[in-house]
Amino acid sequence: MQSNSYITLDIDWAPDFVIDYVADLFIANKVKATWFVTHKSQAVDKLRDYPDLFELGIHPNFLPNSSHGNTVDEVLDFCMNLVPEAVSMRTHALVQSTLILSRVLQRTPIKYDVSLFLAYHPVLQSVDFFWGANHKLLKRLPYNWEDDFEMEHPQVDWTGKNILNIEGVKVYDFHPIHVYLNCSKFETYLKLKENYPNINSVSREQITSYVENGNGTFVISKITV
Ligand SMILES: [Zn+2]
């Protein structure tokens, strides 16, 4: 993997066999990654067996009807309970506000936020967010590539050209489900979700017919390893 590349993943309630599949790919290639966790699972617990490769962060869902809770504090408490060791986060659907970030500082040990998406930006640089009487600091680390955003790119390129042509730091965001599906277009995922609204409980057999051949997210995930 290029030395200026960093891999992050939003687990987004993926079933265990999907998480295992991506984890095995990274373990085999000794790829370091930060996994933003959404739920309790055996596959997530297994990631903890590879502390040299994997870091676990939180992926709080602040959208309405969140399974993480009804208030900012409830959501944060739920997520920190899932990953007590977490020092990093990316919010689900990138929901963010000054209120949310200030509560993160007051209520959690989170030090790094990766919720700023600067698509294909050539020069990523961290920025500081500080709040409160003691000026507690949250480092905000932007990222510049996301699998579903590549799917929407007017010149979508699964050889990785859009991001690999950038000389600066690359911070990738993969969703394990898109890697497993080798998703090249968002409709593939939407069709799966239409038939199986609870993605977390979908089985390997049910998902097989949705897996795409050809160039898609799996192909680019291999470029990065
Ligand atoms: Zn998410």
Side-chain angles (χ1 to χ4, degrees), residues 17-223:
F17 71 92
V18 167
I19 300 171
D20 284 341
Y21 174 81
V22 179
D24 289 347
L25 175 72
F26 286 177
I27 292 163
N29 291 284
K30 296 191 170 57
V31 173
K32 292 186 175 183
T34 300
W35 300 72
F36 294 112
V37 174
T38 47
H39 63 287
K40 199 173 165 46
S41 94
Q42 282 182 1
V44 167
D45 287 340
K46 248 184 355 200
L47 298 174
R48 291 190 170 98
D49 294 340
Y50 299 87
D52 294 344
L53 289 182
F54 300 148
E55 178 193 332
L56 269 55
I58 58 170
H59 195 52
N61 179 9
F62 296 108
L63 290 171
N65 306 316
S66 167
S67 60
H68 291 170
N70 296 315
T71 66
V72 170
D73 286 0
E74 271 180 29
V75 170
L76 289 174
D77 290 353
F78 181 93
C79 290
M80 287 312 303
N81 196 36
L82 281 178
V83 193
E85 71 272 36
V87 291
S88 61
M89 72 166 199
R90 176 182 293 124
T91 68
H92 180 57
L94 305 181
V95 174
Q96 53 203 292
S97 68
T98 306
L99 168 76
I100 288 173
L101 296 180
S102 62
R103 292 310 294 164
V104 167
L105 278 179
Q106 284 167 34
R107 208 170 173 85
T108 77
I110 298 295
K111 291 193 185 84
Y112 306 100
D113 170 58
V114 199
S115 306
L116 287 172
F117 182 41
L118 307 180
Y120 307 99
H121 199 290
V123 191
L124 293 186
Q125 202 177 350
S126 70
V127 290
D128 292 343
F129 177 92
F130 30 82
W131 200 259
N134 54 1
H135 307 291
K136 245 182 120 184
L137 181 69
L138 184 66
K139 277 260 176 227
R140 307 200 73 194
L141 314 168
Y143 69 108
N144 54 2
W145 190 89
E146 180 168 326
D147 47 17
D148 46 16
F149 203 76
E150 180 71 34
M151 292 172 207
E152 302 296 319
H153 197 293
Q155 276 94 43
V156 56
D157 189 311
W158 294 110
T159 63
K161 219 180 281 168
N162 291 324
I163 185 69
L164 292 174
N165 282 348
I166 287 171
E167 281 182 22
V169 170
K170 301 167 214 9
V171 181
Y172 294 87
D173 177 13
F174 288 100
H175 295 84
I177 193 80
H178 293 327
V179 178
Y180 193 92
L181 289 170
N182 186 28
C183 238
S184 72
K185 47 192 185 310
F186 204 60
E187 291 77 42
T188 302
Y189 173 69
L190 290 179
K191 268 187 224 155
L192 176 72
K193 214 159 152 71
E194 201 177 290
N195 290 328
Y196 303 101
N198 183 3
I199 289 288
N200 187 245
S201 61
V202 74
S203 70
R204 202 186 299 262
E205 292 68 35
Q206 289 165 329
I207 213 172
T208 302
S209 64
Y210 295 85
V211 174
E212 287 191 41
N213 295 314
N215 289 346
T217 304
F218 178 72
V219 174
I220 204 166
S221 78
K222 282 182 76 173
I223 291 169

